[in-house]
Protein backbone atom coordinates (compact mmCIF):
# COMPACT_ATOMS: atom_id res chain seq x y z
CA UNK A 1 0.00 0.00 0.00
CA UNK A 2 1.01 3.59 -0.39
CA UNK A 3 2.74 5.20 2.56
CA UNK A 4 1.31 8.28 4.16
CA UNK A 5 2.96 10.41 6.90
CA UNK A 6 2.93 10.65 9.82
CA UNK A 7 4.08 7.33 11.17
CA UNK A 8 2.82 5.44 14.16
CA UNK A 9 4.07 2.70 16.47
CA UNK A 10 7.23 0.99 15.34
CA UNK A 11 7.77 3.73 12.71
CA UNK A 12 5.26 2.01 10.43
CA UNK A 13 3.61 4.23 7.86
CA UNK A 14 -0.15 4.68 7.88
CA UNK A 15 -1.37 2.06 5.35
CA UNK A 16 -4.27 4.09 3.94
CA UNK A 17 -4.80 7.60 2.62
CA UNK A 18 -5.27 9.50 5.88
CA UNK A 19 -5.81 12.81 4.07
CA UNK A 20 -8.64 11.24 2.07
CA UNK A 21 -10.24 9.88 5.23
CA UNK A 22 -9.97 13.32 6.82
CA UNK A 23 -11.77 14.85 3.82
CA UNK A 24 -14.50 12.22 3.91
CA UNK A 25 -14.99 12.74 7.64
CA UNK A 26 -15.16 16.51 7.22
CA UNK A 27 -17.80 16.15 4.50
CA UNK A 28 -19.82 13.79 6.71
CA UNK A 29 -19.48 16.02 9.78
CA UNK A 30 -17.43 13.58 11.86
CA UNK A 31 -14.75 14.32 14.45
CA UNK A 32 -13.93 10.69 15.14
CA UNK A 33 -14.44 7.31 13.47
CA UNK A 34 -14.74 4.07 15.41
CA UNK A 35 -14.37 1.03 13.14
CA UNK A 36 -15.60 -2.31 14.50
CA UNK A 37 -16.10 -4.53 11.42
CA UNK A 38 -13.34 -7.02 10.75
CA UNK A 39 -12.94 -5.82 7.15
CA UNK A 40 -12.59 -2.13 8.01
CA UNK A 41 -10.36 -2.83 11.00
CA UNK A 42 -8.13 -4.93 8.72
CA UNK A 43 -8.02 -2.09 6.18
CA UNK A 44 -7.31 0.70 8.68
CA UNK A 45 -4.91 -1.36 10.78
CA UNK A 46 -2.98 -2.53 7.73
CA UNK A 47 -2.58 -5.97 9.28
CA UNK A 48 -4.03 -9.45 9.03
CA UNK A 49 -7.17 -10.20 10.99
CA UNK A 50 -6.85 -11.80 14.42
CA UNK A 51 -6.05 -15.47 13.77
CA UNK A 52 -8.31 -16.86 16.48
CA UNK A 53 -11.31 -14.88 15.23
CA UNK A 54 -10.86 -15.19 11.48
CA UNK A 55 -13.79 -17.62 11.15
CA UNK A 56 -16.07 -16.65 14.03
CA UNK A 57 -16.83 -13.90 16.52
CA UNK A 58 -18.71 -15.67 19.33
CA UNK A 59 -16.76 -16.55 22.47
CA UNK A 60 -18.40 -17.52 25.74
CA UNK A 61 -21.27 -15.18 26.52
CA UNK A 62 -19.93 -12.30 24.41
CA UNK A 63 -18.13 -11.76 21.12
CA UNK A 64 -14.93 -10.54 19.58
CA UNK A 65 -15.07 -6.81 18.88
CA UNK A 66 -11.95 -5.25 17.34
CA UNK A 67 -11.98 -1.45 17.65
CA UNK A 68 -9.90 1.05 15.73
CA UNK A 69 -10.40 4.70 16.71
CA UNK A 70 -9.29 7.36 14.23
CA UNK A 71 -9.58 11.07 15.16
CA UNK A 72 -9.86 13.39 12.16
CA UNK A 73 -6.53 15.04 11.43
CA UNK A 74 -4.82 13.40 14.40
CA UNK A 75 -3.58 9.91 13.45
CA UNK A 76 -0.97 10.20 16.19
CA UNK A 77 -3.87 9.83 18.65
CA UNK A 78 -5.35 6.74 17.00
CA UNK A 79 -6.17 3.74 19.18
CA UNK A 80 -6.56 0.02 18.57
CA UNK A 81 -8.31 -2.22 21.08
CA UNK A 82 -8.10 -5.95 20.45
CA UNK A 83 -8.74 -9.20 22.26
CA UNK A 84 -6.17 -10.64 24.64
CA UNK A 85 -5.81 -13.67 22.32
CA UNK A 86 -4.26 -11.50 19.62
CA UNK A 87 -1.54 -10.07 21.89
CA UNK A 88 1.25 -12.24 20.46
CA UNK A 89 0.15 -11.59 16.87
CA UNK A 90 0.29 -7.82 17.33
CA UNK A 91 3.65 -8.10 19.11
CA UNK A 92 5.19 -9.98 16.19
CA UNK A 93 3.90 -7.43 13.66
CA UNK A 94 3.23 -4.16 15.50
CA UNK A 95 0.57 -2.01 13.78
CA UNK A 96 1.15 1.64 12.94
CA UNK A 97 -1.38 2.74 15.58
CA UNK A 98 0.36 4.59 18.45
CA UNK A 99 -1.77 3.00 21.19
CA UNK A 100 -2.47 -0.73 20.93
CA UNK A 101 -4.29 -2.48 23.77
CA UNK A 102 -4.98 -6.20 23.47
CA UNK A 103 -6.62 -6.81 26.83
CA UNK A 104 -10.35 -7.20 26.13
CA UNK A 105 -12.46 -10.33 26.50
CA UNK A 106 -15.77 -9.25 24.97
CA UNK A 107 -17.74 -6.44 23.39
CA UNK A 108 -18.56 -4.30 26.43
CA UNK A 109 -15.12 -4.25 28.05
CA UNK A 110 -13.54 -3.56 24.64
CA UNK A 111 -15.72 -0.51 24.00
CA UNK A 112 -15.17 0.66 27.60
CA UNK A 113 -11.40 0.56 27.07
CA UNK A 114 -11.75 2.42 23.77
CA UNK A 115 -13.95 5.11 25.33
CA UNK A 116 -11.46 5.61 28.16
CA UNK A 117 -8.57 5.97 25.72
CA UNK A 118 -10.60 8.41 23.60
CA UNK A 119 -11.23 10.64 26.61
CA UNK A 120 -7.55 10.52 27.56
CA UNK A 121 -6.53 11.56 24.03
CA UNK A 122 -8.36 14.85 24.41
CA UNK A 123 -9.83 14.83 20.89
CA UNK A 124 -13.18 16.38 19.90
CA UNK A 125 -16.02 14.05 20.88
CA UNK A 126 -19.12 15.84 19.62
CA UNK A 127 -19.66 13.90 16.36
CA UNK A 128 -18.62 10.25 16.35
CA UNK A 129 -18.96 7.94 13.37
CA UNK A 130 -19.58 4.27 14.12
CA UNK A 131 -20.35 1.27 11.94
CA UNK A 132 -23.94 0.84 13.06
CA UNK A 133 -24.49 -2.55 11.34
CA UNK A 134 -21.33 -3.82 13.04
CA UNK A 135 -21.79 -2.39 16.54
CA UNK A 136 -23.47 -4.81 19.01
CA UNK A 137 -26.31 -3.29 21.01
CA UNK A 138 -24.54 -3.83 24.33
CA UNK A 139 -21.38 -2.11 23.08
CA UNK A 140 -23.35 0.71 21.44
CA UNK A 141 -25.21 1.40 24.68
CA UNK A 142 -21.98 1.30 26.67
CA UNK A 143 -20.38 3.78 24.25
CA UNK A 144 -23.33 6.17 24.45
CA UNK A 145 -23.27 5.99 28.26
CA UNK A 146 -19.50 6.58 28.38
CA UNK A 147 -19.64 9.59 26.02
CA UNK A 148 -22.98 11.21 26.88
CA UNK A 149 -22.36 14.44 24.99
CA UNK A 150 -21.56 12.74 21.68
CA UNK A 151 -23.76 12.39 18.62
CA UNK A 152 -23.38 8.91 17.13
CA UNK A 153 -23.65 8.82 13.33
CA UNK A 154 -23.26 5.98 10.81
CA UNK A 155 -19.83 5.90 9.17
CA UNK A 156 -20.29 2.83 6.95
CA UNK A 157 -20.39 4.83 3.72
CA UNK A 158 -17.44 7.02 4.76
CA UNK A 159 -15.26 3.94 5.18
CA UNK A 160 -16.61 2.37 1.99
CA UNK A 161 -15.62 5.45 -0.02
CA UNK A 162 -12.16 5.29 1.53
CA UNK A 163 -11.76 1.71 0.23
CA UNK A 164 -13.30 2.33 -3.22
CA UNK A 165 -9.98 2.79 -5.07
CA UNK A 166 -7.69 -0.16 -4.48
CA UNK A 167 -3.93 -0.01 -4.03
CA UNK A 168 -1.56 -2.12 -6.13
CA UNK A 169 -1.25 -4.55 -3.23
CA UNK A 170 -5.02 -4.90 -2.96
CA UNK A 171 -5.41 -5.40 -6.70
CA UNK A 172 -2.80 -8.16 -6.59
CA UNK A 173 -4.75 -9.95 -3.86
CA UNK A 174 -8.02 -9.67 -5.77
CA UNK A 175 -6.34 -10.98 -8.91
CA UNK A 176 -4.84 -13.90 -7.02
CA UNK A 177 -8.19 -14.71 -5.41
CA UNK A 178 -9.98 -14.74 -8.77
CA UNK A 179 -7.32 -16.82 -10.50
CA UNK A 180 -7.29 -19.40 -7.72
CA UNK A 181 -11.08 -19.72 -7.74
CA UNK A 182 -11.03 -20.34 -11.50
CA UNK A 183 -8.22 -22.89 -11.15
CA UNK A 184 -10.17 -24.67 -8.39
CA UNK A 185 -13.31 -24.81 -10.52
CA UNK A 186 -11.51 -26.21 -13.55
CA UNK A 187 -9.86 -28.90 -11.44
CA UNK A 188 -13.18 -29.94 -9.88
CA UNK A 189 -14.95 -30.02 -13.25
CA UNK A 190 -12.20 -32.13 -14.84
CA UNK A 191 -12.17 -34.55 -11.91
CA UNK A 192 -15.90 -35.21 -11.60
CA UNK A 193 -18.44 -36.69 -13.95
CA UNK A 194 -21.70 -38.57 -14.28
CA UNK A 195 -23.37 -39.50 -10.99
CA UNK A 196 -21.58 -36.88 -8.88
CA UNK A 197 -23.95 -35.11 -6.50
CA UNK A 198 -24.14 -31.36 -6.09
CA UNK A 199 -23.11 -31.83 -2.47
CA UNK A 200 -20.00 -33.74 -3.54
CA UNK A 201 -19.14 -31.04 -6.06
CA UNK A 202 -19.50 -28.32 -3.44
CA UNK A 203 -17.27 -30.18 -1.00
CA UNK A 204 -14.69 -30.85 -3.72
CA UNK A 205 -14.59 -27.15 -4.55
CA UNK A 206 -14.17 -26.26 -0.89
CA UNK A 207 -11.16 -28.55 -0.64
CA UNK A 208 -9.72 -27.36 -3.97
CA UNK A 209 -9.88 -23.71 -2.86
CA UNK A 210 -8.43 -24.48 0.58
CA UNK A 211 -5.57 -26.43 -1.00
CA UNK A 212 -4.74 -23.36 -3.09
CA UNK A 213 -4.57 -21.07 -0.06
CA UNK A 214 -8.08 -19.61 -0.21
CA UNK A 215 -10.65 -19.39 2.54
CA UNK A 216 -13.74 -21.00 1.01
CA UNK A 217 -16.81 -18.80 1.50
CA UNK A 218 -19.59 -20.37 -0.56
CA UNK A 219 -20.49 -22.40 -3.62
CA UNK A 220 -23.73 -21.79 -5.49
CA UNK A 221 -24.21 -24.55 -8.03
CA UNK A 222 -26.97 -25.71 -10.37
CA UNK A 223 -27.09 -28.65 -12.75
CA UNK A 224 -29.52 -30.07 -15.27
CA UNK A 225 -32.63 -28.02 -16.01
CA UNK A 226 -33.01 -26.91 -12.38
CA UNK A 227 -32.31 -23.34 -11.29
CA UNK A 228 -31.84 -24.41 -7.65
CA UNK A 229 -28.29 -23.54 -6.57
CA UNK A 230 -28.10 -25.23 -3.16
CA UNK A 231 -25.86 -28.28 -2.55
CA UNK A 232 -28.04 -31.38 -2.55
CA UNK A 233 -28.21 -35.08 -3.46
CA UNK A 234 -29.15 -34.18 -7.05
CA UNK A 235 -26.88 -35.96 -9.55
CA UNK A 236 -25.04 -34.44 -12.49
CA UNK A 237 -25.88 -36.58 -15.54
CA UNK A 238 -24.77 -36.94 -19.14
CA UNK A 239 -25.65 -33.99 -21.35
CA UNK A 240 -26.46 -31.72 -18.41
CA UNK A 241 -24.96 -28.33 -17.68
CA UNK A 242 -23.27 -27.42 -14.42
CA UNK A 243 -23.00 -23.86 -13.12
CA UNK A 244 -20.38 -23.12 -10.45
CA UNK A 245 -20.44 -19.73 -8.71
CA UNK A 246 -18.04 -19.44 -5.80
CA UNK A 247 -16.41 -16.92 -3.54
CA UNK A 248 -12.90 -17.66 -2.32
CA UNK A 249 -11.21 -15.29 0.11
CA UNK A 250 -7.50 -14.45 -0.17
CA UNK A 251 -6.17 -12.51 2.84
CA UNK A 252 -9.58 -10.86 3.22
CA UNK A 253 -10.12 -10.08 -0.48
CA UNK A 254 -12.84 -11.89 -2.38
CA UNK A 255 -12.57 -13.76 -5.64
CA UNK A 256 -16.14 -14.16 -6.94
CA UNK A 257 -16.34 -16.00 -10.27
CA UNK A 258 -18.89 -18.13 -12.15
CA UNK A 259 -18.00 -20.71 -14.81
CA UNK A 260 -19.90 -23.35 -16.79
CA UNK A 261 -19.42 -27.05 -17.51
CA UNK A 262 -21.24 -29.81 -19.37
CA UNK A 263 -21.07 -33.59 -19.35
CA UNK A 264 -20.38 -34.53 -22.93
CA UNK A 265 -19.93 -32.22 -25.88
CA UNK A 266 -22.04 -29.04 -25.79
CA UNK A 267 -24.69 -28.98 -28.52
CA UNK A 268 -25.39 -26.01 -30.80
CA UNK A 269 -28.07 -24.59 -28.51
CA UNK A 270 -25.76 -24.58 -25.50
CA UNK A 271 -22.99 -22.99 -27.53
CA UNK A 272 -25.37 -20.25 -28.66
CA UNK A 273 -26.61 -19.59 -25.11
CA UNK A 274 -23.12 -19.18 -23.67
CA UNK A 275 -22.06 -17.08 -26.67
CA UNK A 276 -24.93 -14.68 -25.98
CA UNK A 277 -23.87 -14.38 -22.35
CA UNK A 278 -20.26 -13.83 -23.39
CA UNK A 279 -21.36 -11.07 -25.76
CA UNK A 280 -23.12 -9.24 -22.93
CA UNK A 281 -20.07 -9.63 -20.69
CA UNK A 282 -17.73 -8.28 -23.37
CA UNK A 283 -20.01 -5.32 -24.08
CA UNK A 284 -19.98 -4.43 -20.38
CA UNK A 285 -16.20 -4.84 -20.18
CA UNK A 286 -15.75 -2.40 -23.05
CA UNK A 287 -17.52 0.33 -21.02
CA UNK A 288 -15.05 0.02 -18.15
CA UNK A 289 -12.44 2.77 -18.25
CA UNK A 290 -11.37 5.68 -16.05
CA UNK A 291 -13.55 8.74 -16.48
CA UNK A 292 -16.56 6.84 -17.86
CA UNK A 293 -19.71 7.03 -15.76
CA UNK A 294 -20.37 3.90 -13.78
CA UNK A 295 -23.82 3.70 -15.33
CA UNK A 296 -22.27 3.31 -18.77
CA UNK A 297 -21.60 -0.33 -17.90
CA UNK A 298 -25.34 -0.92 -17.65
CA UNK A 299 -26.06 1.06 -20.81
CA UNK A 300 -23.66 -1.12 -22.79
CA UNK A 301 -24.96 -4.34 -21.26
CA UNK A 302 -28.62 -3.45 -21.86
CA UNK A 303 -27.86 -2.57 -25.47
CA UNK A 304 -26.37 -6.04 -26.01
CA UNK A 305 -29.12 -7.77 -24.02
CA UNK A 306 -31.71 -6.33 -26.40
CA UNK A 307 -30.06 -8.27 -29.24
CA UNK A 308 -29.99 -11.77 -27.75
CA UNK A 309 -32.62 -14.46 -28.33
CA UNK A 310 -32.98 -15.34 -24.65
CA UNK A 311 -33.57 -11.79 -23.40
CA UNK A 312 -36.70 -12.72 -21.41
CA UNK A 313 -34.78 -15.12 -19.14
CA UNK A 314 -31.45 -13.26 -18.90
CA UNK A 315 -30.38 -10.75 -16.24
CA UNK A 316 -27.33 -8.53 -15.86
CA UNK A 317 -25.64 -7.26 -12.69
CA UNK A 318 -22.51 -5.20 -11.96
CA UNK A 319 -21.27 -4.38 -8.46
CA UNK A 320 -18.13 -3.35 -6.63
CA UNK A 321 -15.73 -5.90 -5.13
CA UNK A 322 -12.97 -5.83 -2.55
CA UNK A 323 -12.93 -6.72 1.13
CA UNK A 324 -16.72 -6.84 0.82
CA UNK A 325 -18.88 -8.20 -1.96
CA UNK A 326 -21.18 -5.44 -3.24
CA UNK A 327 -19.11 -2.47 -2.11
CA UNK A 328 -18.31 0.75 -3.99
CA UNK A 329 -18.59 1.42 -6.84
CA UNK A 330 -22.35 0.94 -6.39
CA UNK A 331 -23.87 0.94 -9.86
CA UNK A 332 -27.54 -0.01 -9.57
CA UNK A 333 -30.45 0.54 -7.21
CA UNK A 334 -32.40 -2.35 -8.78
CA UNK A 335 -30.12 -5.27 -8.01
CA UNK A 336 -30.69 -8.14 -5.55
CA UNK A 337 -28.90 -6.27 -2.74
CA UNK A 338 -30.58 -2.96 -1.89
CA UNK A 339 -28.47 0.21 -1.96
CA UNK A 340 -28.31 3.53 -3.81
CA UNK A 341 -26.69 3.71 -7.25
CA UNK A 342 -24.34 6.53 -6.23
CA UNK A 343 -21.57 5.60 -8.65
CA UNK A 344 -23.83 5.22 -11.67
CA UNK A 345 -23.60 9.01 -12.03
CA UNK A 346 -19.93 9.31 -11.03
CA UNK A 347 -16.80 8.65 -13.12
CA UNK A 348 -15.00 5.37 -12.63
CA UNK A 349 -11.47 5.67 -11.27
CA UNK A 350 -8.40 3.55 -11.94
CA UNK A 351 -8.13 1.07 -9.08
CA UNK A 352 -11.85 0.44 -8.72
CA UNK A 353 -12.92 -3.20 -9.07
CA UNK A 354 -16.24 -4.40 -10.47
CA UNK A 355 -17.89 -7.81 -10.61
CA UNK A 356 -19.75 -8.22 -13.91
CA UNK A 357 -22.24 -11.07 -14.23
CA UNK A 358 -24.81 -12.22 -16.78
CA UNK A 359 -27.29 -14.94 -15.81
CA UNK A 360 -29.58 -16.92 -18.11
CA UNK A 361 -32.27 -19.02 -16.42
CA UNK A 362 -33.14 -21.09 -19.47
CA UNK A 363 -36.49 -22.89 -19.09
CA UNK A 364 -35.13 -26.16 -20.53
CA UNK A 365 -31.31 -26.09 -20.42
CA UNK A 366 -30.93 -24.77 -16.88
CA UNK A 367 -28.83 -22.12 -15.14
CA UNK A 368 -26.16 -20.63 -17.40
CA UNK A 369 -23.95 -17.85 -16.06
CA UNK A 370 -20.62 -16.09 -16.35
CA UNK A 371 -19.25 -13.80 -13.65
CA UNK A 372 -15.94 -11.95 -13.87
CA UNK A 373 -13.92 -9.61 -11.68
CA UNK A 374 -12.76 -6.57 -13.65
CA UNK A 375 -10.34 -3.86 -12.50
CA UNK A 376 -10.38 -0.32 -13.88
CA UNK A 377 -6.87 0.47 -15.15
CA UNK A 378 -5.30 3.72 -16.31
CA UNK A 379 -6.05 2.78 -19.92
CA UNK A 380 -9.21 0.68 -19.64
CA UNK A 381 -9.76 -2.59 -17.82
CA UNK A 382 -8.18 -5.88 -16.81
CA UNK A 383 -10.04 -9.14 -16.21
CA UNK A 384 -8.85 -11.05 -13.15
CA UNK A 385 -9.00 -14.81 -13.72
CA UNK A 386 -10.07 -14.92 -17.36
CA UNK A 387 -9.65 -18.69 -17.86
CA UNK A 388 -12.39 -21.26 -18.33
CA UNK A 389 -14.90 -18.96 -19.98
CA UNK A 390 -16.24 -21.52 -22.46
CA UNK A 391 -17.96 -24.87 -21.97
CA UNK A 392 -15.63 -26.84 -19.71
CA UNK A 393 -16.00 -30.60 -20.09
CA UNK A 394 -16.76 -32.78 -17.08
CA UNK A 395 -14.57 -35.73 -16.20
CA UNK A 396 -15.23 -39.44 -16.29
CA UNK A 397 -18.23 -41.17 -14.74
CA UNK A 398 -18.06 -42.31 -11.13
CA UNK A 399 -17.43 -45.95 -10.51
Amino acid sequence: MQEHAPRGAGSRAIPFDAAKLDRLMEAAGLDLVIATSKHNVQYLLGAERAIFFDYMDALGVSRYLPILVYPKGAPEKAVYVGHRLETHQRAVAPPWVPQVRTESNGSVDAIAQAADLIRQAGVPLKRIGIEMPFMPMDAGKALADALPGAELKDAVLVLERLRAVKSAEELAKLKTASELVVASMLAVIAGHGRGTTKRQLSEALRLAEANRGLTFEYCLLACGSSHNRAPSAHHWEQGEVLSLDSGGNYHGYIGDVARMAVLGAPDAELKDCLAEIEAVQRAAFAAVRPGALGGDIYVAAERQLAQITQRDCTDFLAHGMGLVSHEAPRLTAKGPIPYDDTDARQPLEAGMVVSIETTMKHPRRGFIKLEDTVAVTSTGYEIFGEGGRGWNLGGSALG
Side-chain angles (χ1 to χ4, degrees), residues 43-59:
Y43 185 83
L44 295 173
L45 199 64
E48 297 289 342
R49 300 179 187 185
I51 296 168
F52 192 84
F53 298 100
D54 192 26
Y55 295 96
M56 50 79 183
D57 295 329
L59 185 65

Side-chain angles (χ1 to χ4, degrees), residues 126-205:
K126 184 177 180 181
R127 305 168 301 176
I128 298 178
I130 65 173
E131 295 186 84
M132 289 191 176
F134 301 95
M135 175 71 76
M137 182 174 285
D138 58 357
K141 183 178 184 303
L143 179 65
D145 290 344
L147 305 174
E151 175 188 6
L152 300 182
K153 303 172 70 174
D154 195 0
V156 166
L157 296 185
V158 167
L159 294 172
E160 182 189 61
R161 299 317 303 182
L162 178 66
R163 303 193 320 269
V165 174
K166 275 60 179 175
S167 68
E169 181 182 353
E170 290 179 286
L171 292 171
K173 290 178 180 178
L174 284 163
K175 184 174 183 178
T176 297
S178 300
E179 290 175 344
L180 292 178
V181 170
V182 171
S184 300
M185 288 179 171
L186 297 183
V188 168
I189 291 167
H192 294 78
R194 180 176 58 83
T196 310
T197 68
K198 291 171 65 179
R199 188 169 287 115
Q200 288 172 324
L201 288 163
S202 178
E203 176 63 10
L205 187 60

Side-chain angles (χ1 to χ4, degrees), residues 12-80:
R12 280 199 59 196
I14 297 174
F16 58 88
D17 190 338
K20 181 178 180 181
L21 179 53
D22 290 341
R23 293 192 299 270
L24 290 167
M25 291 173 66
E26 179 65 26
L30 300 177
D31 300 314
L32 192 78
V33 161
I34 301 176
T36 50
S37 66
K38 286 195 286 192
H39 57 276
N40 275 323
V41 167
Q42 174 184 339
Y43 185 83
L44 295 173
L45 199 64
E48 297 289 342
R49 300 179 187 185
I51 296 168
F52 192 84
F53 298 100
D54 192 26
Y55 295 96
M56 50 79 183
D57 295 329
L59 185 65
V61 296
S62 189
R63 58 158 289 170
Y64 173 59
L65 190 69
I67 302 171
L68 194 144
V69 180
Y70 179 87
K72 183 181 65 179
E76 71 280 3
K77 296 183 178 181
V79 170
Y80 176 66

